[in-house]
Amino acid sequence: MRTASAALEARTDMRSRGISDSEGELALQVDGSLPITSHIVLDANATTLRGARRHGGSELGIEIAPRYVTSSDGWDFSAGARGHVFIDAGELDYIEIEGSVSRTLGPAWLTLGASYAPSQDAIGGDNLYLSADIGAGIPGSPLALYAGIGQTIGSTNDAERAVRLRPDGDYTNWYLAVERSRLNFAIGMELSGTSIDQDSARDTRYWDRHTGTRLAGYMRVSF
């Protein structure tokens, strides 16, 4: 059976799918994972949002994600739901259904994931996010390399709120990262970006301009 875990992380810019969740500023996140049974796991995190416009000026975001996990023939499978709650932001909370499949080969791993948010007023339509992430530890070294790419697509019934997850319509995001870890402490750098047009004018209150290429640093302590 899996064991409970927790971590505290600080980032110079807390990004999600290539878009800042913290107005491009330093943010903190605490997260934890609690196994309920051998197949049911409850994940949760809390993040300082620094009054992010895309989340209605909220200062704190909370995610709660129960999921079912299993393994077969070297593959790990996960399926569940994720609720996004934004404190003091009005009716901007939303939910996603998500699933992933992962494989580890020696020091390397691959994860393919999908998250779907059914049409909700909080996000001005529906939203589908597809992703692929890879990582590998460098043998004989405390360093690990990570990379990933994602595609966001969806429909719009409220253009003002749709920019929360798709600021310029459907888009692609990517990231490259290097991390050094020792015992329960890790430090790293991550370069990320999106295909979102940085020159497009925006007149909606939920528009966040922090969608371009950005190098961010982070530190994490695990428990």
Side-chain angles (χ1 to χ4, degrees), residues 199-211:
D199 296 324
S200 295
R202 296 292 184 271
D203 57 3
T204 173
R205 59 177 170 166
Y206 298 115
W207 167 252
D208 188 297
R209 62 185 176 84
H210 303 284
T211 59

Side-chain angles (χ1 to χ4, degrees), residues 26-80:
L26 176 68
L28 301 176
Q29 182 177 86
V30 58
D31 61 69
S33 182
L34 178 66
I36 306 301
T37 70
S38 59
H39 291 291
I40 303 297
V41 178
L42 179 63
D43 295 334
N45 67 61
T47 307
T48 58
L49 303 179
R50 308 301 298 271
R53 290 186 60 185
R54 64 189 294 247
H55 301 314
S58 177
E59 295 288 347
L60 181 66
I62 297 173
E63 295 182 2
I64 301 174
R67 57 191 176 98
Y68 177 84
V69 296
T70 190
S71 299
S72 178
D73 296 327
W75 292 91
D76 297 320
F77 302 91
S78 174

Side-chain angles (χ1 to χ4, degrees), residues 7-175:
L8 174 64
E9 182 171 291
R11 282 183 177 258
T12 57
D13 185 3
M14 192 67 68
R15 285 195 158 196
S16 173
R17 304 174 186 178
I19 307 174
S20 180
D21 277 325
S22 59
E23 289 292 302
E25 299 180 5
L26 176 68
L28 301 176
Q29 182 177 86
V30 58
D31 61 69
S33 182
L34 178 66
I36 306 301
T37 70
S38 59
H39 291 291
I40 303 297
V41 178
L42 179 63
D43 295 334
N45 67 61
T47 307
T48 58
L49 303 179
R50 308 301 298 271
R53 290 186 60 185
R54 64 189 294 247
H55 301 314
S58 177
E59 295 288 347
L60 181 66
I62 297 173
E63 295 182 2
I64 301 174
R67 57 191 176 98
Y68 177 84
V69 296
T70 190
S71 299
S72 178
D73 296 327
W75 292 91
D76 297 320
F77 302 91
S78 174
R82 182 174 299 269
H84 302 262
V85 178
F86 305 96
I87 305 302
D88 296 328
E91 298 178 354
L92 295 181
D93 306 337
Y94 66 96
I95 190 170
E96 291 181 299
I97 301 166
E98 55 188 19
S100 67
V101 56
S102 303
R103 177 97 184 195
T104 299
L105 294 172
W109 56 263
L110 166 69
T111 297
L112 302 176
S115 297
Y116 177 66
S119 184
Q120 298 161 74
D121 290 343
I123 56 174
D126 70 350
N127 197 83
L128 174 64
Y129 181 66
L130 304 174
S131 62
D133 301 274
I134 59 173
I138 301 177
S141 165
L143 298 177
L145 303 176
Y146 302 92
I149 189 169
Q151 179 69 35
T152 296
I153 59 177
S155 63
T156 300
N157 55 39
D158 181 336
E160 182 175 57
R161 289 195 173 186
V163 302
R164 294 185 62 206
L165 299 187
R166 291 181 293 114
D168 191 36
D170 300 349
Y171 76 97
T172 302
N173 74 282
W174 58 269
Y175 73 88

